């Protein structure tokens, strides 16, 4: 029989990140290439959305943070595809028998308008995590012209996720 997971087997996690906008970089958001004349500064591809998501997953599992696992001082992560970070974190979660119940991701940017690509990012995140599209959500918000995000100097992301321990099979 399959035991239903107990309430204590659920964990919630939050992740945030911010990156500076620079001209000489491809814009990657949530694992998707967005055609735009600027991208995000970072040791890796600068995918602020995946970085926030990874920190949410690590936070929920009590496994630290992205900077500890993939330090920006390590040359092996130079220009790294952030999807590789997510694959590695997904493996760690699997080893600890965590499964992702849902994720909710918000990207904060003044431009470009993400309405036309939100669905694509959502599909990409669902695919990367191997969870149902219905269990993912992607939102985009401007900063109403305020601060460095409003001035078009940076993009930020906030992610929240719920994990649960895999139900145990007993004979
Ligand atoms: Mg980052």
């Amino acid at each position: 029989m399959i035991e239903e997971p107990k309430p204590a087997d659920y964990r919630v996690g939050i992740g945030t990140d911010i990156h500076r906008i620079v001209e000489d970089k491809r814009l990657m958001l949530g694992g998707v290439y967005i055609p735009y004349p600027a991208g995000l500064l970072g040791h890796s591809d600068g995918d602020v959305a995946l970085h926030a998501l990874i920190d949410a997953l690590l936070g929920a599992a009590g496994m630290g943070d992205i900077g500890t696992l993939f330090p920006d001082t390590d040359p092996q992560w130079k220009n790294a595809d952030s999807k590789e970070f997510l694959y590695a974190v997904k493996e760690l979660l699997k080893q600890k028998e965590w499964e992702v119940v849902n994720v909710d991701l918000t990207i904060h940017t003044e431009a470009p308008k993400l309405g036309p690509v939100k669905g694509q990012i959502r599909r990409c995140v669902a695919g990367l995590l191997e969870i149902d599209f219905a269990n993912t959500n992607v939102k985009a918000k401007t900063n109403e012209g305020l601060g460095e995000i409003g001035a078009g100097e940076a993009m930020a992301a906030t992610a929240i996720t719920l994990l649960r321990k895999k139900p145990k099979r007993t004979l």
Side-chain angles (χ1 to χ4, degrees):
M1 67 182 264
I2 299 173
E3 277 177 33
E4 280 300 307
K6 298 175 199 72
D9 291 336
Y10 287 86
R11 299 287 163 81
V12 67
I14 191 166
T16 65
D17 198 18
I18 185 165
H19 281 244
R20 186 180 294 277
I21 297 173
V22 288
E23 279 182 357
D24 51 352
K25 205 138 180 203
R26 283 159 55 88
L27 178 59
M28 296 297 297
L29 286 174
V32 174
Y33 168 63
I34 315 282
Y36 189 61
L40 296 173
L41 185 67
H43 189 64
S44 66
D45 61 5
D47 191 329
V48 72
L50 287 191
H51 295 182
L53 175 59
I54 287 167
D55 263 356
L57 294 166
L58 291 172
M63 293 186 345
D65 60 67
I66 189 170
T68 309
L69 285 180
F70 314 104
D72 62 6
T73 48
D74 188 334
Q76 79 165 300
W77 308 126
K78 179 120 180 80
N79 296 319
D81 181 342
S82 294
K83 293 194 280 294
E84 298 295 331
F85 299 159
L86 190 59
Y87 291 137
V89 168
K90 200 170 70 170
E91 274 315 300
L92 289 173
L93 293 176
K94 218 179 264 181
Q95 283 168 23
K96 299 283 183 188
E97 308 223 303
W98 288 113
E99 53 187 30
V100 179
V101 177
N102 77 307
V103 299
D104 184 18
L105 183 60
T106 303
I107 300 168
H108 311 267
T109 186
E110 217 64 15
K113 292 285 173 229
L114 297 179
V117 294
K118 272 192 304 189
Q120 201 184 340
I121 295 172
R122 190 176 166 191
R123 270 194 302 280
C124 183
V125 167
L128 291 169
L129 291 174
E130 296 178 276
I131 61 173
D132 280 357
F133 181 75
N135 295 335
T136 65
N137 194 54
V138 174
K139 308 190 291 294
K141 292 183 79 69
T142 72
N143 223 41
E144 300 286 338
L146 296 166
E148 56 277 280
I149 295 168
E153 294 168 7
M155 291 186 199
T158 310
I160 191 162
T161 189
L162 184 68
L163 302 182
R164 71 167 180 178
K165 281 282 180 181
K166 277 198 183 109
K168 286 191 181 71
R169 282 182 180 276
T170 54
L171 291 173

